[in-house]
Amino acid sequence: MAQLTERNFSSKDEMTAALAELLQAGISQGIEQDGEAVLLVSGGSSPAPAYRHLSGVELGWDKITVAMVDERWVEPDHEKSNEAFIKSTLLQDKAANAQFVTMKNAAKSAEEGAGACESDYAALKKPFDVTILGMGPDGHTASLFPNAKGLEHALTTTNTVCAINAHQSEVTGEITERMSLSLAGIASAKTVVLLISGDEKKAVYEAAKQPGSEYEVPLRAVLNHPDINLTVFWCP
């Protein structure tokens, strides 16, 4: 099992403040210990306020690398691009000085682009300092979707990243082709933070803690991993 800490908050504002504090501490510690810090970020509404707050904090951003947890295989100007989201929320103001490593490259498909992406991620300092994950109502995290093409590889490879092609659903939308951290990539962090909002997702998370298939509920693979130091943030 993962090394698990659970923190419950009464509001999104409280959760945002705690997340911003955790990120600042993790980044500062990384710079102090190694001379640089690596932050892995997810898209989504939950971390956005913390990203905006951090962008204005003086942290020595020229020593910080920001990299993606996962990405749809779309161009950076696409409305569904996580890269565009991170650039508009985090990589502003003082944080504009950070180095940024994205996942989308010139390859026609995520599968074809996985090798080049792996090379980029292999060059990052490990362990990463902080990795931020979200979770969907289907139990996916990063872009590790239930029973997706590439999921078995993602849960077993020692590579940091992997190509995923999910089954189309209300959760995935029409864009099913993704690049994602593998399970090993998620485990390559000193601290992993999982953000959960609402009772529905809390129920999915609680179910994922029970025995069962990691292919049906990929979050279960993260919760079962003995080398992951996981802090779960939840608010209504």
Side-chain angles (χ1 to χ4, degrees):
M1 293 295 291
Q3 303 161 59
L4 185 61
T5 302
E6 296 179 336
R7 299 180 63 183
N8 296 331
F9 302 93
S10 59
S11 70
K12 289 186 178 180
D13 286 346
E14 278 188 20
M15 188 167 84
T16 292
L19 176 60
E21 183 180 341
L22 183 150
L23 294 178
Q24 278 183 243
I27 289 168
S28 298
Q29 184 180 54
I31 294 173
E32 184 178 329
Q33 291 179 346
D34 306 319
E36 62 173 319
V38 178
L39 171 65
L40 274 286
V41 292
S42 293
S45 59
S46 293
Y51 293 161
R52 292 189 181 98
H53 170 79
L54 271 185
S55 69
V57 177
E58 183 51 69
L59 287 170
W61 285 98
D62 59 329
K63 300 179 179 69
I64 298 168
T65 299
V66 175
M68 303 299 305
V69 164
D70 65 329
E71 180 61 284
R72 298 172 179 88
W73 206 251
V74 296
E75 294 304 315
D77 59 356
H78 193 283
E79 64 177 1
K80 295 292 188 180
S81 166
N82 281 339
E83 177 179 339
F85 172 80
I86 295 302
K87 285 179 175 177
S88 68
T89 55
L90 176 59
L91 300 177
Q92 300 283 323
D93 198 3
K94 294 179 174 62
N97 292 320
Q99 297 183 68
F100 181 56
V101 177
T102 186
M103 287 182 150
K104 175 67 171 70
N105 54 43
K108 291 183 178 179
S109 69
E111 195 167 346
E112 291 176 16
C117 188
E118 178 68 23
S119 295
D120 291 341
Y121 274 64
L124 296 175
K125 181 197 82 168
K126 286 192 176 72
F128 309 139
D129 293 289
V130 186
T131 292
I132 303 171
L133 299 178
M135 186 201 74
D138 58 352
H140 85 266
T141 189
S143 277
L144 307 181
F145 286 91
N147 300 308
K149 180 183 177 184
L151 179 62
E152 182 175 1
H153 174 70
L155 298 185
T156 56
T157 183
T158 57
N159 286 355
T160 304
V161 305
C162 56
I164 292 287
N165 205 328
H167 299 289
Q168 189 168 331
S169 68
E170 290 184 9
V171 178
T172 62
E174 295 181 358
I175 304 167
T176 59
E177 192 176 354
R178 315 283 182 106
M179 193 73 77
S180 177
L181 288 183
S182 65
L183 181 61
I186 292 171
S188 297
K190 296 174 187 173
T191 300
V192 179
V193 185
L194 174 66
L195 305 179
I196 302 173
S197 296
D199 291 333
E200 180 185 359
K201 287 190 177 182
K202 181 71 176 298
V204 173
Y205 164 71
E206 293 295 341
K209 289 197 290 185
Q210 304 306 311
S213 169
E214 295 180 353
Y215 297 103
E216 296 287 343
V217 185
L219 177 64
R220 187 172 281 134
V222 175
L223 295 170
N224 287 342
H225 198 296
D227 297 329
I228 293 179
N229 178 19
L230 181 66
T231 298
V232 180
F233 282 15
W234 176 82
C235 72

